[in-house]
Amino acid sequence: MEGAAEVLRARLSHQPEALLVLGSGLGHLADAVVDATIVPFSDLPDFPVPSVAGHAGRFVQGRLEGRPVLIQQGRYHLYEGHSLDVVTRPVRTARAIGIRTLIVTNAAGGIRRDLEPGSLVAIDDHVNLQFRNPLVGAPRAGEPRFPDMSAPYDAELTALAQRVALDLGIRLTPGVYVAVTGPSYETPAEVRMLERLGADVVGMSTVPEVIAARSAGMRCLGVSLVTNVAAGRSPVRLDHAEVVEVGRRAGATLERLLRGVVAALAPAPGD
Ligand code: HPA
């Protein structure tokens, strides 16, 4: 990790205040960054090249709304065959260069009945159904063995996002994200099960990154873009290209929200 952090640090012109992780089809916010410095994952030691179409695999550093940010365009997923060590490497590297705020986005299926393609959900809690945890193994330096997860998503950051959404006339509803491994989408019976388990949206990412981030003392904001109603809730079949396309179209609203949040971001405690 130190290797990647050192390479990344040496390439950055200033200290970013937050890491923004952009999910499937949501990567175009990175193009809006001013004074961009691009660091492809292939330039970083131990960063494999991500394999999913629509995920670029690079860090973009620069200014968004005048604030210094680091954007992660593309991410590693468990379903690509990566270990959670690899999945969480970008977040851990960001933490190692001193970033203490994580803003993570994803594409998700809407389980709750009021969610439709294009809905935005402020993740207020999660359920880990990947049955793996990125902290398994020897504890990392400075991280507790049994980190608290009673508040994985930062209440203040989430309230800030709600205020920004209200100001911009964007509907942002709170919800519980459940992470599954994929890559097959859920069956209708699985979606009914996930609903009973208390999940509002379902996706294949985010939870490992948030666990690693919280363990390392980062504060997290999570936003899901609902790209489809979950399986069995509509007569249409699920199709990855459609998920990416809805992400691209509805991504403009998420982009406005993220810009507003970044502009209003106060320094993380301890910064
Ligand atoms: N299920 C799981 N992951 C997803 C979905 C879904 O319906 N949509 C986007 N990512």
Side-chain angles (χ1 to χ4, degrees):
M1 191 75 55
E2 269 308 303
E6 274 154 23
V7 174
L8 182 62
R9 201 191 323 258
R11 298 274 286 273
L12 302 185
S13 51
H14 45 254
Q15 175 65 34
E17 290 175 0
L19 173 69
L20 272 71
V21 181
L22 304 181
S24 304
L26 306 174
H28 49 328
L29 183 60
D31 303 333
V33 157
V34 177
D35 293 334
T37 302
I38 292 172
V39 183
F41 287 173
S42 53
D43 288 1
L44 299 173
D46 303 322
F47 272 57
V49 176
S51 63
V52 192
H55 296 262
R58 58 192 198 169
F59 284 121
V60 180
Q61 181 230 0
R63 291 189 183 275
L64 200 63
E65 302 295 313
R67 306 291 292 270
V69 294
L70 185 66
I71 294 190
Q72 181 188 330
Q73 204 179 13
R75 53 149 64 99
Y76 301 111
H77 298 88
L78 202 53
Y79 61 73
E80 292 170 87
H82 294 303
S83 65
L84 287 189
D85 216 39
V86 169
V87 170
T88 57
R89 202 158 281 161
V91 165
R92 290 180 181 281
T93 302
R95 181 67 191 90
I97 66 162
I99 297 177
R100 298 176 56 95
T101 300
L102 171 66
I103 300 177
V104 58
T105 66
N106 57 57
I111 296 175
R112 213 174 63 210
R113 307 278 172 171
D114 63 309
L115 300 174
E116 50 191 37
S119 296
L120 292 179
V121 173
I123 305 174
D124 61 3
D125 206 345
H126 69 222
V127 176
N128 183 6
L129 285 190
Q130 296 191 327
F131 300 109
R132 260 153 288 198
N133 190 299
L135 309 181
V136 168
R140 317 244 169 172
E143 296 186 19
R145 172 71 295 187
F146 301 109
D148 174 61
M149 284 292 148
S150 57
Y153 300 87
D154 187 82
E156 265 177 46
L157 271 184
T158 306
L160 171 71
Q162 294 286 9
R163 279 198 302 278
V164 169
L166 199 63
D167 281 353
L168 296 174
I170 295 171
R171 179 169 179 258
L172 180 65
T173 167
V176 173
Y177 177 93
V178 60
V180 294
T181 63
S184 51
Y185 288 115
E186 299 68 43
T187 64
E190 286 166 346
V191 169
R192 291 194 298 273
M193 173 193 76
L194 297 174
E195 181 178 39
R196 286 185 191 125
L197 293 180
D200 299 306
V201 286
V202 54
M204 306 174 192
S205 67
T206 301
V207 165
E209 288 119 309
V210 167
I211 291 172
R214 288 299 299 141
S215 171
M218 297 175 84
R219 58 177 185 166
C220 304
L221 170 68
V223 181
S224 286
L225 169 59
V226 175
T227 50
N228 55 278
V229 291
R233 295 280 146 104
S234 105
V236 295
R237 291 159 56 93
L238 292 188
D239 172 52
H240 177 67
E242 178 68 15
V243 165
V244 172
E245 184 47 37
V246 174
R248 217 161 255 145
R249 271 187 272 131
T253 308
L254 179 53
E255 181 175 323
R256 284 200 300 137
L257 177 68
L258 293 179
R259 280 175 175 280
V261 168
V262 166
L265 217 50
D271 266 359

